[in-house]
Amino acid sequence: SWSGEEAARIVPTYFAEQRSFYSVTRGNLRVESNIEYSVLKGEVDRVEIALSPELSVVSVTGDNIRKWDTRTDDKDASVGTPLPAETPAGPAGTQWVTLRQNARILTVVPKAFGTSQARTFTVNIVTEKALEQIPTTFSAPRIQPLGVEREKGYIALNVHENLRIAPAKMENIAQ
């Protein structure tokens, strides 16, 4: 068990498990994403999630959310997370995630996440994207937790009746 002072000095290590449900209807793509964070060590006072710029945030909920906000970066950016001296993921250094121009960052501030009292925290995000015309080809919008040591999860897809969907290209997906 970590005391408050010891945990505040330690670089936080936390995992994310994401479950995303994509629903396609005529003219709309709705993404409901549930991200469960688990803190292994240290304290976390906020989490950041990269969103594809074309997504509109409908709601952000969770049992322990104090506040949330979004910001848009107007240029390409790299977000770095310092890694401690040695981790199961590899040597010391920085984990970098490159964000596209106009990437949206959702910042969620929990009430007591990552303290000795609360080692898990869940964020539920509902987003939407307009689909101008059918038929159409689109990339699955990104909802990516930043700063996590490890991420896992799954994606489910639902298509409204009278519509069909077929993957045109799949990258970075393990089945």
Side-chain angles (χ1 to χ4, degrees):
S1 167
W2 300 95
S3 75
E5 283 183 32
E6 291 169 330
R9 290 187 305 237
I10 295 171
V11 175
T13 300
Y14 54 107
F15 295 164
E17 183 171 344
Q18 182 172 186
R19 293 167 292 281
S20 294
F21 180 71
Y22 289 69
S23 181
V24 181
T25 61
R26 194 167 297 282
N28 189 51
L29 170 66
R30 182 179 179 96
V31 183
E32 298 177 24
S33 191
N34 170 281
I35 305 171
E36 183 175 316
Y37 291 91
S38 298
V39 178
L40 288 115
K41 66 178 182 178
E43 290 185 6
V44 178
D45 63 354
R46 71 188 64 236
V47 293
E48 291 189 324
I49 302 158
L51 304 173
S52 293
E54 69 273 12
L55 288 175
S56 297
V57 177
V58 175
S59 68
V60 178
T61 60
D63 291 340
N64 201 19
I65 293 177
R66 180 180 305 152
K67 64 180 181 175
W68 64 272
D69 195 8
T70 60
R71 72 178 189 277
T72 302
D73 291 331
D74 60 358
K75 58 183 180 236
D76 288 346
S78 291
V79 176
T81 301
L83 298 176
E86 189 69 32
T87 69
T94 302
Q95 169 189 349
W96 291 97
V97 175
T98 301
L99 305 175
R100 293 182 313 188
Q101 186 172 4
N102 296 321
R104 296 185 68 206
I105 305 296
L106 170 65
T107 302
V108 179
V109 178
K111 293 178 184 171
F113 175 51
T115 65
S116 58
Q117 293 81 26
R119 304 309 290 172
T120 62
F121 176 75
T122 301
V123 177
N124 301 300
I125 307 165
V126 177
T127 59
E128 291 183 334
K129 171 187 175 178
L131 301 176
E132 298 300 324
Q133 59 186 8
I134 301 289
T136 188
T137 300
F138 62 89
S139 296
R142 180 176 69 180
I143 298 176
Q144 181 180 2
L146 300 174
V148 296
E149 183 75 24
R150 184 180 334 159
E151 180 185 3
K152 66 179 183 175
Y154 65 85
I155 296 172
L157 181 64
N158 179 48
V159 180
H160 186 271
E161 59 186 68
N162 301 328
L163 295 176
R164 289 183 317 152
I165 194 164
K169 183 178 175 183
M170 293 191 298
E171 293 178 340
N172 302 321
I173 295 179
Q175 295 185 17

